[in-house]
Amino acid sequence: MTPAVIGYMRFYDRDFDIIGKSKSEDTSCRTDSIPVHNLYSVSSFSKNFLSSVRSPAILAMLAALIVSGRVEMNCLAHNGKTGVRIIVCLLVLLVIVPVHGRAGAQQLSIREIRRIGPAYGGHGGMWADTDGDGLPDLYMTYNGSSGLVPDFYFHNNGNETFQDQTQVSGLDDTDGGSHGACWADLDNDGDYDLINATTYVVSSFSNTNDLFENLGNGQFVRIQGTPLDSRHEKTRAILAFDMDGDGDLDIFAVNGYRGSDSHENNEVYRNDGDFRFTQITSGALYGCPAGQGATDTDFDGDGDVDIIAANRTGKVNILKNDGHGNFTRVDPVSVGINHKAGDGITTADIDNDGDLDLLLVTAGSSELYRNNGGGHFSYLAHFNDKGYMGGFADLDNDGDLDLVFAGGSHVYLNNGHGGFYKGPAIPDANQSDPRSIAFADINNNGQEDFIRVSKGSENRIYAADNPSGNWLELDLISENGQIGAFGAKVYVYSIDQNGESDQLIGFREVNSNQGYLAENSPRLHFGLGTAGRVNVRVHFLSGTEVIRKQVEANYAYTIDGRNTQLIPGIMLLLSQN
C-alpha cells in the first residue's frame, strides 16, 4: 500500500479517509514530503488536511495511528520512538494548525473601493461586460417609497472608477421603481442585452417589464411590442434561462413579494428568437407562490435548468425541470430541506464535490445545506448576518468558495470542506437595510471584488486584496454564439504526473441571478491555490463538452463552443504570492 505524505508524516490514505493525496516531491526527505515550517501553506491538500484535525477525537485517532505505525514520522523521528512520534505529531497539530487557521484571515484584507449610486433605494446589483472592453459594467435597480425612480448603468473605466452612462446608453428606465434585472444574450448575437423588472406604476409610467437590446457597442434600444407589454405586475426577481433546451434564453419573472399569501401569477415567456416571445400561462412555474428572489440552477445535477424561488409566507419553491420546460413543484422536505427562504436562494459548490450546495436567507437569518448528490440535502449551519442574501466567491484564491453576506461584518473563509470561520473584517459594514451582493473582478487583476447594495444607505464596492493563490478566469460562448453560455458548467482539476485530471479544484455554474436580485459577472473566477497549470472541462447545456489540458494559471481565457478553441483573453496581472 502506497502512503501519502504530509509534511514529514506519511498517512495510509486508503484506510484513513479524511486524508487525500499529495504528489509533490522533496528529494531531501521522503517522496512527497514537505518541510514542516511550510506545512500550513504549501497546498490546498495540506489546508484540507489541517482543517480536519482540530478536534480532540481526531487528535486521539492520529496519536493511536502513530503508535500503531500506520502513520510514519520518518524525517522528524528517525529513531522511531513512540513517545517522540506522539510529541512531534501533537506539536504539529496544536501549533501549526492554529497558525494555518489564522493565516488566510491575516493575509487577505477587504478594502472599500468606492460608494456608488444614490444613497437610498438600492435593491439589485448586476455585473456584465456590456461593451466588449473586457471590464464588467454595473447595473443597479432602485425602488423608493414613492414617485419616479431611475435605475442606473455605470460604465467601468478600468481604474476602479465608474461613469454614470444611464442616459447616453439608452438605458434610462425611470418608472415607479424596480427590483430585479439581469444581463442576458437574448438574441444570441454575442453581447449582453438587459431585462428590467418594473414594480410600481407612477403617473403615466407603467409597470411592465422592459427589454433592451444591446446594439453591440454599449448602446441600447428598448424593444417594444412583446407579450411583456401586456402584463402589469409588481415584479421582483427576473431570470433568463434556457428552460426547454433549444439554445436560447427564456424569461421567468417573480410577481409579488409575499408568496403564499398573495395571488399574483408569475410571468413565463418562451423565447422564439429575434426578440419574439410567447407567453406561457399555465403550469407550476407560472402558478407557484413565489416572492422576492429566485435563481436558475441545476440543483439536482440532471443536466437541465431548474428554478428555486423564495416564499415569505410558505415553503420555498423548488421547481424541477423535465428538460423540456415542464416544471414540477417539489416538496422541500422530500429533498431534506426544512427551512424557509423568504428572500434569497444561492447555490454553489462549497466542498468541491461537483454538486451545488444551498444557502437560504430570510431577512438576516440564513441556513446552509449540503448537497449529498442528486439534489438531496442535509443541514449544515445557521448564520445571523444581516441582509437578504449571501454570496460565494473564492476571495483568497485558495481553491474553495468563501461566503459574504449582503450586510455581514466579516468574510467567512472556507476551511476546504464547506465549513466556514470568520476571516477579515469588512470596513464600514454597517449599511442600513442591506439587500444584495454580487461579485466581479472589476479591474482584471485576478481578484474577486463585490458590490453590496442597500436600500437605506450608500452602496459600496469592495476589493479583496492580497489573496494567496493562483487563479483562472473564463468567458464562455455557447455553440450558437450566446455569450455567457447560461446553464453551462465548468470543472477545473489539478493535474497528476501523467497530465491527466486529478482532484477537482473548482466547479461553477453560469446563471442569470443568485440570492436576492444579484447577478455575478458571467466571467467565471477560480482560485487555484498553488496549482500553476490545470485541466478544464466545460459542459454546455446542449451536452457538448470541451476539455482543455495544461491551461496556465493567472490568465483569462475564452472558451468558444463554436470552434472549441481556448482563446487567450485579456492578459491579466499575475497574482502576488
Side-chain angles (χ1 to χ4, degrees):
M1 183 182 301
T2 303
V5 180
I6 305 305
Y8 293 138
M9 299 177 291
R10 305 173 77 229
F11 296 87
Y12 292 87
D13 57 277
R14 294 182 184 176
D15 296 306
F16 193 40
D17 63 8
I18 67 166
I19 304 303
K21 295 182 179 180
S22 174
K23 297 182 182 292
S24 62
E25 294 188 4
D26 185 337
T27 56
S28 66
C29 192
R30 301 289 297 238
T31 302
D32 298 1
S33 61
I34 1 175
V36 163
H37 65 273
N38 287 332
L39 185 59
Y40 60 86
S41 61
V42 291
S43 71
S44 60
F45 169 72
S46 301
K47 177 202 67 176
N48 293 346
F49 162 69
L50 288 169
S51 64
S52 302
V53 292
R54 298 178 185 174
S55 73
I58 296 296
L59 291 174
M61 183 186 302
L62 285 174
L65 289 170
I66 294 168
V67 172
S68 69
R70 296 286 294 285
V71 175
E72 297 182 15
M73 304 285 287
N74 289 329
C75 296
L76 288 178
H78 289 287
N79 57 13
K81 292 182 180 179
T82 298
V84 173
R85 290 181 175 183
I86 295 175
I87 290 172
V88 173
C89 181
L90 293 179
L91 284 174
V92 169
L93 295 174
L94 298 177
V95 176
I96 295 180
V97 170
V99 171
H100 163 71
R102 295 189 302 266
Q106 290 174 339
Q107 189 172 29
L108 182 72
S109 63
I110 306 301
R111 170 176 57 91
E112 183 180 316
I113 294 175
R114 64 178 51 256
R115 303 184 182 192
I116 192 166
Y120 180 79
H123 278 71
M126 296 81 192
W127 296 102
D129 177 10
T130 60
D131 55 2
D133 65 354
L135 295 166
D137 306 300
L138 176 64
Y139 190 77
M140 297 176 63
T141 59
Y142 276 78
N143 180 61
S145 56
S146 62
L148 292 175
V149 182
D151 300 316
F152 288 87
Y153 166 66
F154 293 96
H155 177 262
N156 188 338
N157 297 324
N159 56 357
E160 296 189 346
T161 66
F162 293 81
Q163 182 180 5
D164 181 357
Q165 292 189 355
T166 309
Q167 298 287 336
V168 299
S169 67
L171 286 175
D172 180 15
D173 191 52
T174 299
D175 48 36
S178 298
H179 280 76
C182 72
W183 299 109
D185 188 359
L186 295 172
D187 53 353
N188 290 347
D189 67 346
D191 52 38
Y192 291 103
D193 311 299
L194 180 71
I195 314 172
N196 177 270
T198 307
T199 307
Y200 296 111
V201 176
V202 172
S203 184
S204 61
F205 293 83
S206 75
N207 62 336
T208 60
N209 297 322
D210 298 311
L211 302 180
F212 293 87
E213 180 184 3
N214 191 333
L215 300 179
N217 55 358
Q219 294 294 304
F220 296 82
V221 60
R222 188 190 302 265
I223 300 295
Q224 296 179 326
T226 73
L228 281 72
D229 295 340
S230 67
R231 295 289 298 272
H232 299 266
E233 310 286 354
K234 297 177 180 180
T235 302
R236 262 58 183 185
I238 197 159
L239 313 180
F241 72 113
D242 186 357
M243 67 180 180
D244 48 10
D246 65 351
D248 51 31
L249 296 174
D250 310 295
I251 297 174
F252 170 63
V254 173
N255 290 332
Y257 78 99
R258 293 186 61 82
S260 292
D261 283 0
S262 62
H263 303 288
E264 300 99 331
N265 286 315
N266 305 306
E267 293 173 59
V268 184
Y269 302 96
R270 186 183 67 239
N271 190 338
D272 297 322
D274 196 28
F275 287 100
R276 292 176 294 111
F277 294 87
T278 297
Q279 185 174 187
I280 297 173
T281 56
S282 63
L285 194 60
Y286 175 77
C288 72
Q292 300 289 70
T295 186
D296 43 309
T297 180
D298 185 9
F299 80 93
D300 54 1
D302 65 352
D304 51 42
V305 184
D306 311 299
I307 298 293
I308 307 180
N311 183 351
R312 278 203 165 180
T313 55
K315 293 181 178 181
V316 60
N317 296 280
I318 301 176
L319 296 142
K320 179 177 172 59
N321 192 344
D322 69 352
H324 303 287
N326 304 305
F327 292 85
T328 301
R329 191 175 176 208
V330 176
D331 185 350
V333 175
S334 71
V335 294
I337 297 174
N338 297 294
H339 293 90
K340 293 181 179 181
D343 294 306
I345 301 101
T346 307
T347 57
D349 185 5
I350 63 172
D351 49 7
N352 283 348
D353 65 350
D355 53 31
L356 295 165
D357 308 297
L358 185 64
L359 180 70
L360 308 177
V361 179
T362 303
S365 180
S366 304
E367 315 299 338
L368 182 64
Y369 281 83
R370 186 190 306 276
N371 192 332
N372 299 319
H376 293 271
F377 297 87
S378 58
Y379 182 68
L380 278 182
H382 171 77
F383 298 88
N384 283 318
D385 297 70
K386 294 190 300 181
Y388 278 26
M389 66 170 290
F392 295 95
D394 191 353
L395 297 181
D396 51 5
N397 284 347
D398 65 347
D400 51 46
L401 291 171
D402 308 304
L403 171 61
V404 189
F405 287 94
S409 60
H410 289 76
V411 169
Y412 288 97
L413 296 178
N414 193 324
N415 68 5
H417 301 285
F420 295 89
Y421 60 97
K422 277 189 176 181
I426 299 173
D428 295 320
N430 191 27
Q431 291 171 265
S432 174
D433 199 358
R435 295 300 178 102
S436 60
I437 178 171
F439 296 87
D441 180 0
I442 68 168
N443 50 11
N444 286 340
N445 64 354
Q447 302 171 193
E448 284 278 70
D449 311 296
F450 56 94
I451 184 169
R452 301 209 299 184
V453 182
S454 298
K455 183 177 181 181
S457 59
E458 292 177 295
N459 312 297
R460 295 166 170 87
I461 299 177
Y462 293 94
D465 290 333
N466 305 315
S468 59
N470 296 325
W471 50 270
L472 178 74
E473 293 183 348
L474 297 173
D475 289 306
L476 303 182
I477 302 174
S478 72
E479 307 98 309
N480 55 0
Q482 180 197 118
I483 192 169
F486 286 9
K489 301 172 184 175
V490 180
Y491 305 81
V492 173
Y493 300 90
S494 62
I495 302 174
D496 67 17
Q497 58 189 0
N498 299 315
E500 299 302 320
S501 298
D502 190 19
Q503 301 294 321
L504 182 64
I505 296 177
F507 163 52
R508 306 285 189 271
E509 175 189 57
V510 194
N511 52 17
S512 68
N513 259 223
Q514 284 274 289
Y516 172 83
L517 317 179
E519 182 173 15
N520 297 331
S521 170
R523 171 177 282 181
L524 302 176
H525 174 95
F526 294 83
L528 304 181
T530 59
R533 290 179 181 272
V534 293
N535 290 348
V536 176
R537 176 167 65 96
V538 179
H539 184 93
F540 290 101
L541 192 59
S542 64
T544 298
E545 285 203 338
V546 176
I547 296 175
R548 288 291 168 264
K549 295 185 176 181
Q550 300 286 345
V551 178
E552 186 175 354
N554 300 322
Y555 290 93
Y557 301 90
T558 295
I559 295 181
D560 190 331
R562 295 169 297 184
N563 56 28
T564 67
Q565 296 298 306
L566 182 68
I567 304 169
I570 293 176
M571 187 172 181
L572 306 182
L573 301 174
L574 294 177
S575 60
Q576 300 298 312
N577 293 307

